[in-house]
């Protein structure tokens, strides 16, 4: 981690998954399972476009007033790997967590109240981490029994985009700016 002249910390990370879901798939009761994708629909992206105060273009929470401060969810890949290990599983499908931006190399769950930016080669995109993304009962149905409880305290962070920009899969740099 490098510290620049303003005291901000730069850290190399990797963006491993980008998800923009135009529709809710976890509706009804978890026991019924997730709704299927529409024919030809794919939620996984090579890149996403973000708009300040609105979220991810094409995502179900884009521009929704109730989700403005929580329109983008960051999640650490390592958190799900730890959960899998604790449950004696080799692998859990990270896309089933329904988190928008899955990264490696960043303690996402420690970011509450932090302003930060992520640059994957198209310029930095600013965010503020507002609150935890608490797991729900769907995790036991869609990932594996016990995941709901095991993910408590490490389900990621709900964030608000502060600037417009583009994020792509692959290497990136995160800059931790300040705690609110």
């Amino acid at each position: 981690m490098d510290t620049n002249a303003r005291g901000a910390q730069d850290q190399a990370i990797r963006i491993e998954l980008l998800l923009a879901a135009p529709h809710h798939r976890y509706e009804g009761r978890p026991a019924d399972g997730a709704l299927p994708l529409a024919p030809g629909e794919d939620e996984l992206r090579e890149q996403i476009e973000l708009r300040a105060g609105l979220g991810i273009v094409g995502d179900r929470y884009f521009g929704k007033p109730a989700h403005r401060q929580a329109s983008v969810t960051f999640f650490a890949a390592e958190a799900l790997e730890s959960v899998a290990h604790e449950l004696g599983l080799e692998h859990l499908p990270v896309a089933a967590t329904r988190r928008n931006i899955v990264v490696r190399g960043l303690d996402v769950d420690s970011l509450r109240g932090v302003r930060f930016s992520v640059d994957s080669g198209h310029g930095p995109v600013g965010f503020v981490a507002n609150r935890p993304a608490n797991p729900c009962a769907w995790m036991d149905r869609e990932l594996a029994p016990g995941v709901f409880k095991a993910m408590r305290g490490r389900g990621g962070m709900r964030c608000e985009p502060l600037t417009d920009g583009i994020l792509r899969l692959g290497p990136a740099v995160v800059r931790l700016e300040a705690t609110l």
Side-chain angles (χ1 to χ4, degrees):
M1 189 177 316
D2 297 322
T3 303
N4 68 19
R6 291 183 15 221
Q9 298 177 339
D10 292 348
Q11 181 177 338
I13 63 168
R14 181 163 194 80
I15 299 174
E16 295 196 345
L17 180 138
L18 295 168
L19 184 140
H23 307 289
H24 291 279
R25 293 189 48 228
Y26 291 0
E27 291 184 5
R29 298 179 318 196
D32 296 335
L35 297 173
L37 286 170
E41 184 177 51
D42 186 9
E43 299 172 334
L44 301 180
R45 306 280 190 261
E46 294 286 321
Q47 73 177 30
I48 56 173
E49 180 182 355
L50 296 116
R51 298 273 174 83
L54 297 173
I56 299 170
V57 175
D59 189 71
R60 64 202 180 280
Y61 294 124
F62 182 79
K64 303 284 191 236
H67 294 281
R68 291 248 166 96
Q69 293 186 331
S71 61
V72 179
T73 306
F74 276 80
F75 185 63
E78 297 91 344
L80 195 59
E81 290 167 354
S82 292
V83 167
H85 177 75
E86 288 170 18
L87 296 175
L89 303 169
E90 281 190 41
H91 178 288
L92 289 169
V94 70
T97 64
R98 312 288 291 155
R99 296 335 193 220
N100 301 114
I101 302 171
V102 178
V103 299
R104 181 172 299 282
L106 178 65
D107 182 3
V108 171
D109 294 303
S110 71
L111 294 178
R112 187 175 194 168
V114 174
R115 288 181 185 267
F116 65 100
S117 64
V118 179
D119 188 344
S120 63
H122 293 278
V125 181
F127 296 92
V128 61
N130 288 315
R131 65 178 190 257
N134 296 317
C136 64
W138 285 93
M139 299 298 104
D140 282 352
R141 169 73 169 111
E142 297 302 316
L143 281 87
V147 172
F148 169 53
K149 183 177 179 182
M151 277 182 63
R152 289 185 189 150
R154 52 186 168 180
M157 278 289 150
R158 294 200 174 277
C159 301
E160 176 183 0
L162 301 174
T163 61
D164 295 351
I166 293 174
L167 292 178
R168 294 187 55 79
L169 292 175
V173 174
V174 65
R175 173 171 285 174
L176 304 176
E177 296 290 343
T179 302
L180 298 178

